[in-house]
Amino acid sequence: MRAHNVLIVGGGSTWTPGLLKSICARKNSFPINRLVMLDINEERQKIIGEYAKVLFQEEYPELDFHYTTNKEEAFREDLDFVFVQMRTGGYTMREKDEKIPLQLGVIGQETCGPGGFAYGMRSIRDMVQLVEDVRAKTKDAWILNYTNPAAIVADAIGRIFPEDKRILNICDQPENLLRSYGRILDKDPREFDPVYFGLNHFGWFTNLYDENGNDLLPELREKILSGGFRPVDYEQRDQSWLDTYSMVEQIVQDFPDYLPNTYLQYYLYPDKVKQKLDPDFTRANEVMAGREKRVFEECERVAEMGTSQESKVVHNDAHGEFILVVAESIAYNKGSHFIVILKNEGLVENLPEDAMVEVTASLTANGPRPYSVGKIPTFYKGLIEGQFAYEKLTVEAYLEGSYDKALQALTLNRTVVSASKARDVLDALIEANRGYWPELRSERPAPALV
Ligand code: NAD
Ligand code: G6P
Ligand code: MN
C-alpha cells in the first residue's frame, strides 16, 4: 500500500484537531508518509502544530510531520493530496457577514444569503492563489476543498481552471445528515446508498436504500414527523444547531416529497428563522466563545502536558473522517460512494449544464463517476434555478468587478428578495470588505439627485 504526502491548508482551523485524530485512526487504510500543515496565521498554526506533535508522537510516531507559515516548505512536487479549509478574514469577518445583513433586516448566515455572498467574494481570491501555488509544483496532486461557501468557490474555481480535473469540492453536511438518519433508524449509515440532488447547502435526499435495496426514506420521514429531528451528535451541539435541525420537521411537513438539507431553512422560512437570530450575538460569537476557545485551550493544554491521551478536543467526527475516506477512495481506486459537488453536465437533466450540483458519485483514481438523477419536479427545479442564478451572478460580479451583477445576485437570493434591501446590504458589505473584495463598479448612470 503506497503511503501519500498530504498538505493541510488552513492548519490553524478549529476543525484541524478532529482531522488529525481521524488521520491517526485511519493510518492503516490511508497511510501518510509526509504531512505538512500550512497557515497564514503563525500563532494559530503553532498552537495546533504543537498539539499535533504530541498526538503523533503517541499515535503515529512514524509520520514525517511539519507545520509552517512558509509556502516554500508547503508546496512541493511530491504532494499527493491537499486538504483545504481556510477562512479568509477569519471569524472577525464572519461576524460582519452575519451581523450586517441582520441589522438591515435580512438573514445573517456565513454561507447563505448576503453573508455567504460576502464570504464568497473573499474566498475566491485566496482559493485561486492556492490552486496556482499547488499547480506551480505539481499537476497530479488532488485538491480536496472544504473552504466555504463551497457552492460559490466550486463555481469560481470551475470557471477559472476548467481543464483541472483534480479539484474536488466537498461538504460534510450530507454526511452529518446520513449519520443522523443512521441514529434515528438504528442502522449503520455506511450501509446507506443515498440518492441526493441540489446545489451545495441547497439539496434533498430522494431515496435512502439499504443493503437489500429497500428505500428507508418513507420510514425515516414518518419518524421525523412523529419524533422530530436531531443531529447524530446532539449531546455536543450548540443550541443554534439544535434549532436548525429541528426545523427539518417543519420543512418535511410542508414539502414531504424528499428530506431536505438543513440549510434550506434559511431560504424557505427567512422571516421565521430571522426572528430567532440575535443581531448582537450571532453564530460567529457562539463559535468564538465556544468551539474556538475550547479547541485552542485544549491544544495548549495537551502541548503543556505532553500527552493527548485524555484529550476531548474533537467536536465532530464526521468532518475529519469524511475527507479521509474520500481521499482513500481516490488513492486506492475504491470507487466508494459519496455526495460531492460536481459540474452538472446532464446529471440533473432539467438543470443548467454548467451548474455545480451536489450528487452521489463513485470516487475513483480517475476521478468521480457520478450518478445521474434524471428530471426533477418543477418546485425543486424553480428553487435551484433561482439559487444557481444567484451563485453564477456572484461569481461574475467578482470576475468582472460588477456592482450591477452583485445587485442582481442579492436581489435574486430568497433570503433578500427586495431590490432596495439588496442595495442597502450590498453597500454596507462593500464598506466592510474593503481590501478583501475586488472593486465593484456600476455601468449604470448614477440616480439623479433630487
Ligand atoms: P478558522 O478561521 O478557525 O480556520 C481557518 C484557518 O485558515 C485560520 O487558521 C486562518 O488563519 C487560515 N487561513 C486563512 N486564509 C488562509 C490562506 N490564504 N492560506 C492558508 N491559511 C489561511 O475557520 P473554521 O471555522 O475552522 O473553518 C475553516 C474552513 O472550513 C472555513 O472555510 C469553513 O467554512 C470550512 N468548513 C467547511 C465545511 C464544509 O462542509 N464544506 C465544514 C466545516 C468547515
Ligand atoms: C456544516 C456545514 C459546513 C459549515 C459548518 C459550520 O458542517 O456543512 O459547511 O462550515 O457546518 O459550522 P459552524 O459550527 O462553524 O457554524
Ligand atoms: Mn458544508
Side-chain angles (χ1 to χ4, degrees):
M1 213 177 196
R2 185 167 89 79
H4 293 81
N5 295 324
V6 176
L7 169 66
I8 300 175
V9 178
S13 156
T14 56
W15 300 90
T16 302
L19 172 56
L20 302 177
K21 290 286 280 183
S22 296
I23 283 176
C24 294
R26 302 198 71 84
K27 71 175 186 176
N28 294 325
S29 48
F30 186 71
I32 300 181
N33 177 34
R34 184 172 199 266
L35 176 70
V36 178
M37 299 203 297
L38 171 73
D39 203 287
I40 52 166
N41 183 319
E42 198 165 353
E43 195 192 344
R44 289 177 84 92
Q45 187 55 100
K46 184 162 192 268
I47 296 171
I48 310 270
E50 290 300 314
Y51 158 80
K53 279 189 185 167
V54 173
L55 173 75
F56 293 145
Q57 202 174 38
E58 291 178 328
E59 294 189 27
Y60 210 155
E62 66 276 30
L63 184 68
D64 177 15
F65 169 71
H66 308 266
Y67 68 86
T68 183
T69 51
N70 179 356
K71 281 186 176 190
E72 293 301 313
E73 276 176 55
F75 299 111
R76 293 168 41 133
E77 285 82 11
D78 61 357
L79 275 175
D80 298 298
F81 284 90
V82 182
F83 298 167
V84 195
Q85 43 184 20
M86 62 166 97
R87 183 185 288 285
T88 304
Y91 286 119
T92 315
M93 290 308 291
R94 176 177 179 172
E95 188 179 3
K96 292 187 186 179
D97 294 344
E98 293 167 348
K99 289 188 174 172
I100 290 170
L102 273 176
Q103 280 152 7
L104 295 166
V106 178
I107 289 283
Q109 211 281 329
E110 65 154 352
T111 64
C112 302
F117 172 89
Y119 188 12
M121 296 284 277
R122 288 197 305 277
S123 293
I124 296 172
R125 187 174 64 190
D126 283 357
M127 280 301 299
V128 170
Q129 183 65 52
L130 177 271
V131 173
E132 285 173 350
D133 287 340
V134 175
R135 291 298 176 239
K137 297 289 182 181
T138 166
K139 304 283 173 232
D140 296 332
W142 276 90
I143 299 174
L144 305 183
N145 179 52
Y146 262 141
T147 302
N148 268 324
I152 288 165
V153 167
D155 191 87
I157 294 299
R159 280 188 199 219
I160 298 168
F161 304 99
E163 301 307 322
D164 198 320
K165 303 296 176 217
R166 292 192 166 212
I167 304 172
L168 184 64
N169 296 283
I170 56 172
C171 167
D172 61 19
Q173 193 58 5
E175 175 67 16
N176 281 314
L177 291 169
L178 287 169
R179 289 178 182 218
S180 305
Y181 300 158
R183 186 156 179 184
I184 293 179
L185 294 169
D186 197 18
K187 290 208 183 308
D188 181 352
R190 277 167 299 195
E191 302 291 317
F192 294 152
D193 178 17
V195 183
Y196 186 92
F197 73 86
L199 306 167
N200 177 238
H201 290 187
F202 205 98
W204 291 264
F205 287 89
T206 66
N207 308 86
L208 190 66
Y209 296 111
D210 70 6
E211 67 277 21
N212 301 312
N214 300 314
D215 189 356
L216 304 174
L217 197 124
E219 179 191 343
L220 183 56
R221 175 170 40 223
E222 290 318 309
K223 290 205 153 138
I224 290 173
L225 287 172
S226 58
F229 190 49
R230 293 193 295 197
V232 57
D233 50 352
Y234 63 84
E235 295 92 341
Q236 291 142 45
R237 290 279 184 152
D238 291 332
Q239 188 57 42
S240 63
W241 268 113
L242 299 178
D243 291 346
T244 292
Y245 274 72
S246 73
M247 278 297 286
V248 165
E249 185 181 344
Q250 158 110 57
I251 303 178
V252 178
Q253 267 167 17
D254 289 339
F255 309 104
D257 304 328
Y258 308 135
L259 295 185
N261 192 300
T262 45
Y263 282 92
L264 283 157
Q265 66 161 349
Y266 298 107
Y267 303 101
L268 297 174
Y269 312 94
D271 291 338
K272 185 171 174 175
V273 173
K274 197 176 59 204
Q275 275 172 16
K276 291 195 237 167
L277 300 175
D278 178 353
D280 298 319
F281 192 84
T282 60
R283 176 68 187 148
N285 300 114
E286 196 177 36
V287 174
M288 286 186 275
R291 179 172 78 234
E292 189 187 37
K293 193 165 178 290
R294 270 198 314 275
V295 163
F296 282 89
E297 280 177 5
E298 182 64 4
C299 285
E300 282 179 314
R301 200 180 68 85
V302 166
E304 253 168 50
M305 301 213 324
T307 174
S308 70
Q309 294 305 301
E310 302 297 316
S311 165
K312 298 230 177 352
V313 76
V314 178
H315 55 89
N316 173 322
D317 291 330
H319 181 83
E321 278 169 23
F322 184 63
I323 196 165
L324 283 174
V325 289
V326 162
E328 249 169 75
S329 190
I330 294 171
Y332 302 111
N333 201 23
K334 285 179 152 178
S336 312
H337 291 180
F338 300 101
I339 295 168
V340 295
I341 303 166
L342 296 171
K343 195 162 178 191
N344 185 29
E345 292 173 331
L347 294 171
V348 188
E349 213 180 307
N350 50 349
L351 284 180
E353 294 273 308
D354 59 341
M356 292 302 287
V357 292
E358 204 164 50
V359 290
T360 306
S362 156
L363 297 186
T364 77
N366 295 310
R369 296 190 191 151
Y371 292 92
S372 56
V373 296
K375 289 194 170 125
I376 55 170
T378 306
F379 175 63
Y380 303 92
K381 177 175 185 284
L383 284 171
I384 292 174
E385 280 177 342
Q387 176 72 3
F388 174 58
Y390 146 77
E391 288 168 3
K392 193 172 173 174
L393 285 164
T394 300
V395 173
E396 288 173 6
Y398 175 92
L399 294 173
E400 298 165 23
S402 167
Y403 180 93
D404 306 325
K405 287 199 171 172
L407 180 63
Q408 290 177 351
L410 287 176
T411 306
L412 265 174
N413 198 288
R414 286 183 59 87
T415 66
V416 183
V417 176
S418 147
S420 54
K421 274 191 191 171
R423 188 183 285 279
D424 291 347
V425 176
L426 176 59
D427 290 344
L429 289 172
I430 288 174
E431 216 32 60
N433 282 276
R434 285 207 191 284
Y436 286 112
W437 288 7
E439 194 194 336
L440 299 183
R441 290 170 307 276
S442 178
E443 301 291 320
R444 313 239 193 278
L449 295 174
V450 241

